[in-house]
Amino acid sequence: MTTALTLVAGRGDDGDRTLSVTGEIDMSNAAEFGAALDRELAEGTAITVDLTGVTYLDSAGIAVLFDRTEAHDLRLIAPRLLERVLRVSGLGQVAKVTVR
C-alpha cells in the first residue's frame, strides 16, 4: 500500500525556506512534488528539501530533483534509507545531500 505524500512548506531555524516531505514519491505523485518545489523556488533559488520522512523514492522523484538542480540551490536532507539511491543516481554530485 502506498503511503500518502505530504508536503509542508516553511522556514528552517536559520530562516531559509524548507519543504518537508513525508510518504512515498513515485510516478503517481511526482508532478505534485514538482509543483510544490516550483512554488517554493519561485520565491528564490535556494531551498532545503527535508526527505527524512520519505519511505520510497523512484526515478520520477529523482527526475523532479535533477530537473531543478541546475538553476537552483537544492539542499537535501535524506534518511539512510535513501542514501544509496541518491548516490547511485548521481544526485549527490549536483546537489548538497546530508544523510541523517
Side-chain angles (χ1 to χ4, degrees):
M1 177 177 236
T2 301
T3 305
L5 181 66
T6 303
L7 304 158
V8 178
R11 298 265 178 198
D13 294 337
D14 56 5
D16 287 346
R17 287 185 348 280
T18 63
L19 181 64
S20 297
V21 186
T22 58
E24 297 181 4
I25 304 172
D26 59 25
M27 65 184 281
S28 72
N29 58 22
E32 179 185 357
F33 175 48
L37 265 176
D38 290 342
R39 281 190 299 275
E40 293 306 306
L41 290 167
E43 300 297 318
T45 60
I47 188 169
T48 298
V49 182
D50 184 347
L51 300 170
T52 56
V54 173
T55 56
Y56 179 79
L57 177 67
D58 76 0
S59 60
I62 293 287
V64 166
L65 294 167
F66 262 114
D67 288 348
R68 287 147 182 90
T69 57
E70 188 172 319
H72 304 287
D73 177 18
L74 294 184
R75 298 173 304 261
L76 309 176
I77 302 172
R80 293 232 176 265
L81 175 70
L82 300 181
E83 181 177 20
R84 183 172 180 178
V85 73
L86 295 174
R87 183 174 32 81
V88 169
S89 70
L91 193 57
Q93 296 175 349
V94 294
K96 181 180 179 190
V97 177
T98 303
V99 177
R100 292 190 182 159

